[in-house]
Amino acid sequence: MKKRKNILSALLCGICCIALLGGCGEPSDMAAENPADASVAEDTQAGAEPAGGESLGEFSMEDMEGNTYTQDMFSDYSLTMVNVFTTWCTPCINEIPDLEKLRNEMADQGVNVVGIALDAIDATGSADGEAVEKAKLLAEQTGVTYPFLIPDAGYLNGRLMGINAVPETFFVDKDGNIVGETYTGSRSLDEWKSVVEQELQEVAQ
């Protein structure tokens, strides 16, 4: 019996370690709304959730410098990668330089990247000054040129509500429709390139 418990403990430990490599547990504000589901995210390398082709609708969000972005930001690109992250999530932070490289290397194919700092808004719907400053510093340290956006009070027409783990990444076409699949967990540059190429093919069909 003791040997069986030791094996079980080792397996659980291994699963937790794998999960931690790919993503962070759900944001604290979201966890407060759903305390029973505050689990650590798995890195879904083997699959992803269908996004459903729904429209994001009209919205207005600001970046860390106060510039305004609306649904029109999608119209100049065939595909926009929307990467939802938090400033306290290590896997999120570690993949940002690769997302910058991806954007630069695939821009001529009509690909853009947008980041959304999920913790840059507090429970009242107002910007969280501390998280905004952290995001600004993160942008400076990583040299990222794509925007880090602050969620609006409506959480992007509800799309950002209920996110259980970060980073979460989904794709939007030039008409503002969510396309392809939703990906949980961080990936390498080559892995993301493969994903984006696949999503581009789907958009072109």
Side-chain angles (χ1 to χ4, degrees):
M1 181 65 70
K2 184 176 180 181
K3 183 177 180 181
R4 183 178 178 183
K5 287 183 178 179
N6 289 339
I7 293 173
L8 181 59
S9 297
L11 286 173
L12 290 174
C13 181
I15 291 171
C16 290
C17 289
I18 292 170
L20 286 170
L21 288 174
C24 296
E26 66 182 288
S28 56
D29 287 345
M30 299 298 181
E33 295 176 9
N34 192 11
D37 192 25
S39 58
V40 175
E42 290 186 16
D43 185 3
T44 55
Q45 297 284 1
E49 297 178 10
E54 61 189 284
S55 171
L56 279 177
E58 297 182 359
F59 61 86
S60 179
M61 291 190 289
E62 292 186 353
D63 66 8
M64 303 301 157
E65 305 300 331
N67 301 307
T68 300
Y69 289 77
T70 69
Q71 65 280 356
D72 293 336
M73 69 180 177
F74 301 121
S75 62
D76 292 333
Y77 303 93
S78 300
L79 189 70
T80 298
M81 169 189 270
V82 181
N83 178 251
V84 185
F85 69 96
T86 62
T87 59
W88 48 261
C89 169
T90 300
C92 300
I93 295 170
N94 288 344
E95 76 171 351
I96 286 174
D98 281 341
L99 299 184
E100 172 71 9
K101 290 178 183 177
L102 183 145
R103 177 179 180 270
N104 293 335
E105 294 178 15
M106 302 192 74
D108 60 349
Q109 299 180 51
V111 175
N112 191 31
V113 177
V114 172
I116 299 180
L118 195 58
D119 59 332
I121 188 173
D122 60 26
T124 68
S126 302
D128 184 312
E130 183 178 352
V132 169
E133 289 304 314
K134 287 181 180 178
K136 285 182 180 179
L137 182 61
L138 179 59
E140 293 175 5
Q141 291 176 338
T142 59
V144 70
T145 58
Y146 64 82
F148 286 172
L149 303 182
I150 302 171
D152 57 357
Y155 278 88
L156 194 56
N157 291 319
R159 175 57 185 81
L160 304 179
M161 297 295 293
I163 290 180
N164 294 323
V166 288
E168 177 174 296
T169 302
F170 61 93
F171 294 90
V172 182
D173 67 13
K174 62 183 179 181
D175 297 317
N177 299 314
I178 299 174
V179 294
E181 300 177 329
T182 297
Y183 298 82
T184 301
S186 60
R187 285 164 172 75
S188 68
L189 176 59
D190 287 341
E191 288 168 337
W192 273 129
K193 279 185 177 180
S194 178
V195 167
V196 172
E197 287 169 356
Q198 177 182 336
E199 297 296 348
L200 272 174
Q201 289 178 0
E202 294 295 326
V203 171
Q205 291 179 358

